[in-house]
Amino acid sequence: MYIVIMAGGSGTRFWPMSRASYPKQFLTIVGDKPMVTATYDRVRKMTSADRVVFVVGEVHREETERLFAAEGAHILVEPKGRNTAPCIGAAAGFIDRLGGGDEPVVILPADHYIARPDVFREALVRASDVALGGGIATLGIVPTRPETGYGYIECESSPVQSEGVLRARRFVEKPDFEKAATYLQQGGYYWNAGIFVATPKVLLEEFAAHMPGFHAGLTALAPTCGAPGFSAAMRELYEGAESISFDYAIMEKTSRPLYVIPCDCGWSDVGSWYSLYEVRKNAEQDKSGNVVEGEALLHECRDSFVISRGKRLVAALGLEGVLVVDAEDALLVADLRRSQEVKQITEMLKEMGLKKLL
Amino acid sequence: MYIVIMAGGSGTRFWPMSRASYPKQFLTIVGDKPMVTATYDRVRKMTSADRVVFVVGEVHREETERLFAAEGAHILVEPKGRNTAPCIGAAAGFIDRLGGGDEPVVILPADHYIARPDVFREALVRASDVALGGGIATLGIVPTRPETGYGYIECESSPVQSEGVLRARRFVEKPDFEKAATYLQQGGYYWNAGIFVATPKVLLEEFAAHMPGFHAGLTALAPTCGAPGFSAAMRELYEGAESISFDYAIMEKTSRPLYVIPCDCGWSDVGSWYSLYEVRKNAEQDKSGNVVEGEALLHECRDSFVISRGKRLVAALGLEGVLVVDAEDALLVADLRRSQEVKQITEMLKEMGLKKLL
């Protein structure tokens, strides 16, 4: 089995901790290691290190090499970020060239949290079985709340092939609250975690059918794999590549049956400070629902999230549902439930020309 | 007229900006100069600089000299803080020795805010007239809200002597809200600002009557004024001095008539971060009621108070009624209306042995 860890993103959702040059997947924000390392460790026991491929941007090549080169893992550098379709296409071509064309490839983002890794791995093994048979499988996370921040996969009501494998009916965009509540109550809807399993051969056939121009580029690139011309060929490939997600480009268009492996593994995409708070709360909250990291002093606070990494004491008094993130050169204080709006702050910084803080 | 500016306090109500060695009166927290300088400037035009006496603690002698020695003002150093009665007694003895025994002395704290200094000075002039006649006069601040954080002075209903001068009936401790509301509605109650005017002769007579031991010490001290033995004599005086407020020790016990000059000068004791916010709001609030100082970025915040002095950007998102004080080595985030509880934080710091932050 091959594993592709997509670590190319460059978000600022965790500003002021995440920066353009130091995005979420390289941060240690839950547990004691960077998310990308936790992701690697989680799947590492399913295969050998030389069957793991990291896909990263040029700015993170060095950090990724530092973390994983000694392991023997592969590092595939994207010349620029073009969303997940080109990323997955390039990885499929790369693994095909390594001789893994008929092996299942698990494709997963580097920056998700999984509370129950055993359950997660079991689901990936099931998905690999499906992929071996020529199908495309995706994990369907069993929803636990009427979440409006995730896309959903609606499934056929009866299992196919075998117990625990469903057939996808359609992909559903992020719903409003009412719809999300209906999905939860009705059943048959799963969160789309963006975790896919298929063989490179199948993936490349799909690219040939739905992104033929990009597929032609992949074919032209193939002979340069592991050769001096590879970087230049990748640059050329990405120059002409459309920025599009794998969901849109392939999953929603394929005529192949799509299989869903329902999975109740305590998954979170950790997409905001609030989401991180929810993840860490389970293990770390004090009796008033606060999560505190670093040198901090709380007096009569509730449901708050305080992170002190600025080498200074943080004192919090009478707060309710407040987020405090004290970094070396910037401080964020926010309504914890509105923490996804941190984007507004980074936009303002951009407008003000405060690039050093981004 | 003499003026005594009591600048000996050492509070931490404005933690993390105020510290034991750098208390509120030496901070620039409203306007563009330290409170003690603003106080001096406010009363300076009422007399000559050599008739101004600063009373400070040993730790603030240097800073006070730096600020005011060139002006020609006197600096009286207390060996230790013993509340206002010993402070006022020592100042009265000192001025008596300077030859001002029969002149009115205005005694006022260094750390109050006055929105309308002209109105304030007018009241002090009236109070001085009363003092010249041998009375003790105090300013009675016209209450503008049912404040529970101040002591009150209840006055006789009809003016005495002349228009605008009242006779005090009794001093009232900080009331509960219901009582405060009654005081406000009923009239005849004024906030006790702790600002007194009397001649040194009258004050010393009062000390002789109500703190005879301390008065004896003052008498023994007098010949050393301006001589080498003065510091040692002051140490001896304070060693035996009771720590007690002038209100308790003298004002509530005197058999002399007490006069109150009602004064609507926009006074505040600036006793907490919330109180400072209220004071600064008038001039500085944005359209959402926020007061912001320093490098800070607010997005959809309301009624919040953000101070950035840590040389870092402070970003605030969706806050309502939150206080953020970013100092060099510590950060406070608090419910603005509970900011007087910052004492709990400094107590915790003390218990934790984090003296460097106090």
Side-chain angles (χ1 to χ4, degrees):
Chain A
M1 178 196 295
Y2 279 82
I3 290 162
V4 173
I5 298 176
M6 297 183 288
S10 69
T12 49
R13 290 190 200 184
F14 285 86
W15 188 90
M17 239 145 76
S18 65
R19 303 295 165 95
S21 62
Y22 218 77
K24 175 186 161 202
Q25 63 269 29
F26 290 99
L27 295 176
T28 301
I29 50 176
V30 52
D32 56 0
K33 45 195 161 194
M35 297 201 87
V36 65
T37 306
T39 300
Y40 175 77
D41 291 351
R42 192 179 299 129
V43 294
R44 170 65 185 79
K45 57 175 71 169
M46 302 180 76
T47 191
S48 57
D50 64 352
R51 292 186 171 197
V52 176
V53 179
F54 289 93
V55 188
V56 299
E58 185 57 61
V59 284
H60 303 123
R61 175 208 289 266
E62 211 174 299
E63 177 76 352
T64 312
E65 283 177 351
R66 194 180 66 74
L67 292 169
F68 305 107
E71 295 274 326
H74 300 276
I75 297 170
L76 182 60
V77 178
E78 292 187 289
K80 52 174 140 181
R82 303 268 80 185
N83 210 327
T84 48
C87 169
I88 290 171
F94 184 78
I95 292 169
D96 184 46
R97 195 66 189 172
L98 289 177
D102 291 313
E103 289 195 46
V105 179
V106 172
I107 298 152
L108 75 176
D111 58 355
H112 290 175
Y113 172 78
I114 310 281
R116 294 178 288 279
D118 285 339
V119 175
F120 178 66
R121 281 186 293 259
E122 270 167 41
L124 289 181
V125 168
R126 301 293 305 276
S128 298
D129 293 343
V130 172
L132 264 184
I136 301 178
T138 181
L139 295 200
I141 308 295
V142 180
T144 54
R145 57 180 187 270
E147 174 66 53
T148 59
Y150 297 146
Y152 286 69
I153 309 168
E154 185 188 352
C155 291
E156 306 290 347
S157 51
S158 56
V160 288
Q161 287 185 326
S162 63
E163 182 71 25
V165 179
L166 300 173
R167 181 84 179 261
R169 184 180 290 159
R170 63 179 182 116
F171 285 81
V172 183
E173 300 269 344
K174 291 176 186 175
D176 60 25
F177 183 81
E178 209 175 324
K179 273 190 188 166
T182 308
Y183 295 168
L184 186 67
Q185 193 222 324
Q186 188 171 316
Y189 286 81
Y190 298 87
W191 289 339
N192 179 5
I195 298 169
F196 310 103
V197 187
T199 65
K201 286 256 152 54
V202 165
L203 290 169
L204 291 171
E205 278 173 29
E206 289 298 324
F207 277 95
H210 303 293
M211 288 180 79
F214 183 73
H215 182 263
L218 280 178
T219 309
L221 174 83
T224 70
C225 262
F230 182 68
S231 291
M234 277 288 277
R235 270 199 299 280
E236 207 185 308
L237 176 69
Y238 271 73
E239 208 50 65
E242 189 185 354
S243 183
I244 186 169
S245 77
F246 184 69
D247 282 31
Y248 278 115
I250 308 292
M251 295 292 268
E252 294 185 6
K253 289 188 183 143
T254 183
S255 47
R256 256 176 232 273
L258 290 176
Y259 297 100
V260 176
I261 320 295
C263 178
D264 187 14
C265 60
W267 169 89
S268 167
D269 79 339
V270 200
S272 69
W273 283 113
Y274 183 70
S275 167
L276 178 63
Y277 165 73
E278 291 270 284
V279 161
R280 290 179 57 167
K281 202 168 76 158
N282 296 319
E284 296 179 51
Q285 69 183 328
D286 66 18
K287 64 184 193 311
S288 308
N290 303 298
V291 174
V292 179
E293 177 188 320
E295 205 188 352
L297 216 66
L298 274 68
H299 179 68
E300 294 191 7
C301 293
R302 276 186 11 205
D303 305 325
S304 292
F305 188 14
V306 176
I307 298 187
S308 169
R309 291 195 180 176
K311 296 180 186 157
R312 308 176 316 143
L313 179 89
V314 176
L317 168 65
L319 301 180
E320 288 193 31
V322 173
L323 166 71
V324 179
V325 185
D326 186 38
E328 200 75 52
D329 56 353
L331 164 71
L332 172 66
V333 184
D335 180 340
L336 183 52
R337 288 189 174 268
R338 294 181 62 180
S339 62
Q340 75 283 4
E341 293 174 45
V342 71
K343 204 179 155 56
Q344 309 293 333
I345 299 286
T346 55
E347 288 299 320
M348 286 161 86
L349 290 173
K350 209 175 288 176
E351 277 164 32
M352 294 165 73
L354 290 170
K355 277 211 164 179
K356 71 182 167 72
L357 293 177
L358 287 171
Chain B
M1 176 195 300
Y2 279 82
I3 290 163
V4 173
I5 298 177
M6 296 184 286
S10 69
T12 49
R13 289 192 201 184
F14 285 86
W15 189 88
M17 240 144 81
S18 65
R19 302 294 166 97
S21 61
Y22 218 79
K24 174 184 161 202
Q25 63 268 29
F26 290 98
L27 294 176
T28 302
I29 50 176
V30 52
D32 56 0
K33 46 194 161 192
M35 297 201 87
V36 65
T37 305
T39 299
Y40 175 78
D41 292 351
R42 193 180 298 129
V43 294
R44 171 66 186 80
K45 58 177 70 170
M46 301 180 76
T47 192
S48 55
D50 64 351
R51 293 188 170 194
V52 177
V53 179
F54 289 92
V55 188
V56 299
E58 185 56 61
V59 285
H60 303 123
R61 175 208 288 265
E62 209 174 300
E63 177 77 353
T64 312
E65 284 176 350
R66 195 181 65 75
L67 291 169
F68 305 107
E71 295 275 327
H74 300 277
I75 297 169
L76 182 59
V77 178
E78 293 188 289
K80 51 175 142 181
R82 305 268 79 185
N83 210 331
T84 49
C87 169
I88 290 171
F94 185 80
I95 292 168
D96 184 49
R97 195 69 189 172
L98 288 178
D102 291 312
E103 288 196 46
V105 179
V106 173
I107 297 153
L108 75 176
D111 59 353
H112 290 175
Y113 172 79
I114 310 282
R116 295 178 287 280
D118 284 342
V119 176
F120 177 68
R121 280 186 293 260
E122 270 168 42
L124 289 181
V125 169
R126 299 294 304 278
S128 298
D129 293 344
V130 173
L132 264 183
I136 301 179
T138 181
L139 296 201
I141 308 297
V142 180
T144 53
R145 58 180 186 273
E147 175 65 53
T148 58
Y150 298 146
Y152 286 69
I153 308 168
E154 185 187 352
C155 290
E156 306 289 348
S157 52
S158 56
V160 288
Q161 287 184 327
S162 61
E163 182 72 25
V165 178
L166 300 174
R167 180 88 179 261
R169 182 179 293 159
R170 63 179 181 118
F171 285 80
V172 184
E173 301 268 344
K174 293 176 185 175
D176 59 25
F177 184 82
E178 210 176 324
K179 274 190 187 165
T182 309
Y183 295 168
L184 187 67
Q185 192 223 325
Q186 189 172 314
Y189 287 81
Y190 298 87
W191 290 337
N192 179 5
I195 298 169
F196 311 103
V197 187
T199 65
K201 287 256 155 53
V202 166
L203 290 169
L204 291 171
E205 278 173 28
E206 290 296 325
F207 277 96
H210 304 291
M211 289 180 77
F214 184 74
H215 182 262
L218 280 177
T219 309
L221 174 82
T224 70
C225 262
F230 182 67
S231 291
M234 276 289 273
R235 267 198 302 280
E236 205 184 309
L237 177 68
Y238 271 72
E239 207 52 62
E242 187 184 358
S243 182
I244 186 170
S245 78
F246 185 69
D247 282 31
Y248 279 116
I250 307 292
M251 294 294 267
E252 295 185 6
K253 292 189 182 143
T254 182
S255 47
R256 260 173 227 272
L258 289 176
Y259 298 99
V260 176
I261 319 295
C263 177
D264 186 15
C265 60
W267 170 89
S268 167
D269 78 340
V270 201
S272 68
W273 283 112
Y274 183 71
S275 166
L276 178 63
Y277 164 74
E278 292 270 285
V279 161
R280 290 178 57 167
K281 201 168 77 159
N282 297 320
E284 296 178 49
Q285 69 183 330
D286 66 18
K287 63 184 192 316
S288 306
N290 303 299
V291 174
V292 179
E293 177 188 319
E295 204 188 352
L297 215 68
L298 272 67
H299 178 67
E300 294 191 8
C301 293
R302 276 185 14 207
D303 305 324
S304 291
F305 189 14
V306 176
I307 299 187
S308 169
R309 290 192 179 178
K311 297 181 184 154
R312 308 177 315 144
L313 178 91
V314 176
L317 168 64
L319 301 180
E320 288 194 33
V322 173
L323 166 71
V324 179
V325 185
D326 186 37
E328 201 75 52
D329 56 353
L331 165 71
L332 173 66
V333 184
D335 179 341
L336 183 51
R337 289 191 174 266
R338 294 181 61 179
S339 61
Q340 75 283 5
E341 294 175 42
V342 73
K343 204 178 156 56
Q344 308 295 333
I345 299 286
T346 55
E347 287 299 322
M348 286 161 85
L349 290 174
K350 208 176 288 174
E351 278 165 31
M352 293 164 73
L354 289 170
K355 277 209 162 177
K356 70 181 168 73
L357 294 176
L358 286 169

